Amino acid sequence: MSAGRQLAQRIPLLVVKAGFSTLPLAVFAFDVFQNVVDFGNAHLTDRFLESVGARIERLEANEQERERERLKADPVYQRSGRAALQRLLTETNPRMADALARAVAEIGASDLPDVERLEIARALDALTEPSLHLLQTLYRAHHDLLTEPEIQAAGGDASSLFFTGLIYQSMWLSSWIVPAMDLERAGLIEATLDNTTFAEAVEASRADQGHTVHMRRVYAMGERVVKMCFDDPAVPAFGEFAAAS
């Protein structure tokens, strides 16, 4: 039996286990299943739902059902779950399932006002693997948490100028402009597009056709998202310098 078909059989149980609203998410999950068959990422969806459900199962037995019922009635939690599942359709790294599952669980458990929780839930739409890697690395750079190999990749200087070089060495993309701009539009970082080439960081022919992005700082909501996505934000999760599982 294919991974997609196995997932289709497990979806009803996983949806209930994770405390999502059975009817609307079951309908959405059917759409996910159709894409899962095409894209072969059934294991990511399965891993995400299992991870969210496991966090509920760590509660005392008499609290588990009460928590699931509370989450089923929480529209922000439901919205965050849908956003995470939709995002996973374009991802391949299991660590993305782990990070999004933790974020969704944290949104569900948070006592922040609903308007702030919804703001964070909307930000999940911007979290591709490159953008989440960029956000975490920038967070770690600003808190002096880069590892020695990362600092060396930045030429011994993690300033905005050399940060570009670190990012390209840690995860090669043809352009980092889109992830940076997505994070800025989501209100997670302050970024400025520059039409000059930083030869010290990346060769001109490779650096976005002469453009680069200044990542100036992580906004408060960006820091909150990082802390929601990772058990330990100081440990690199993606790219060449990621910690071993």
Side-chain angles (χ1 to χ4, degrees):
M1 182 182 295
S2 70
R5 294 188 181 283
Q6 289 177 352
L7 175 62
Q9 293 181 356
R10 284 167 52 80
I11 278 178
L13 175 62
L14 292 173
V15 165
V16 172
K17 182 178 178 180
F20 292 114
S21 296
T22 306
L23 180 59
L25 195 59
V27 173
F28 176 73
F30 179 78
D31 293 333
V32 171
F33 163 64
Q34 296 302 320
N35 285 285
V36 160
V37 173
D38 294 334
F39 292 104
N41 65 344
H43 66 287
L44 288 189
T45 304
D46 185 289
R47 183 165 176 152
F48 168 80
L49 291 170
E50 277 283 11
S51 180
V52 175
R55 291 175 182 273
I56 298 174
E57 290 190 335
R58 294 188 191 120
L59 300 173
E60 294 293 331
N62 62 345
E63 295 180 7
Q64 290 178 19
E65 191 56 36
R66 186 186 317 154
E67 180 67 359
R68 288 193 182 96
E69 290 303 314
R70 182 186 72 80
L71 292 173
K72 286 180 182 178
D74 181 350
V76 180
Y77 176 75
Q78 301 298 321
R79 197 276 182 207
S80 67
R82 288 168 180 259
L85 280 169
Q86 192 66 45
R87 169 53 56 207
L88 287 176
L89 291 177
T90 60
E91 300 300 324
T92 59
N93 192 329
R95 289 189 177 186
M96 278 299 293
D98 297 339
L100 292 176
R102 189 180 191 281
V104 170
E106 289 293 312
I107 289 171
S110 175
D111 58 2
L112 291 170
D114 282 354
V115 65
E116 291 186 50
R117 294 170 62 238
L118 186 56
E119 185 180 24
I120 298 168
R122 292 192 187 104
L124 298 186
D125 292 334
L127 298 185
T128 61
E129 181 179 350
S131 64
L132 185 52
H133 170 58
L134 177 59
L135 179 63
Q136 187 192 20
T137 306
L138 186 60
Y139 167 90
R140 293 173 54 249
H142 284 187
H143 290 277
D144 297 321
L145 297 172
L146 294 179
T147 63
E148 186 59 33
E150 288 174 303
I151 294 173
Q152 292 304 312
D157 185 346
S159 67
S160 178
L161 174 63
F162 293 95
F163 184 80
T164 302
L166 165 60
I167 284 297
Y168 272 95
Q169 288 197 48
S170 66
M171 183 183 289
W172 180 256
L173 296 183
S174 59
S175 172
W176 276 96
I177 290 178
V178 171
M181 294 297 100
D182 284 347
L183 291 175
E184 184 184 48
R185 280 191 293 269
L188 303 181
I189 69 170
E190 179 184 6
T192 303
L193 185 65
D194 195 342
N195 64 359
T196 61
T197 300
F198 288 164
E200 301 92 333
V202 187
E203 295 176 18
S205 61
R206 299 163 123 195
D208 303 310
Q209 290 75 52
H211 293 78
T212 190
V213 179
H214 296 277
M215 274 70 71
R216 301 189 183 280
R217 63 182 171 127
V218 180
Y219 289 131
M221 194 176 78
E223 299 223 355
R224 183 173 286 165
V225 168
V226 170
K227 292 174 182 177
M228 283 187 164
C229 286
F230 303 107
D231 290 319
D232 186 353
V235 179
F238 304 103
E240 291 297 317
F241 303 105
S245 300

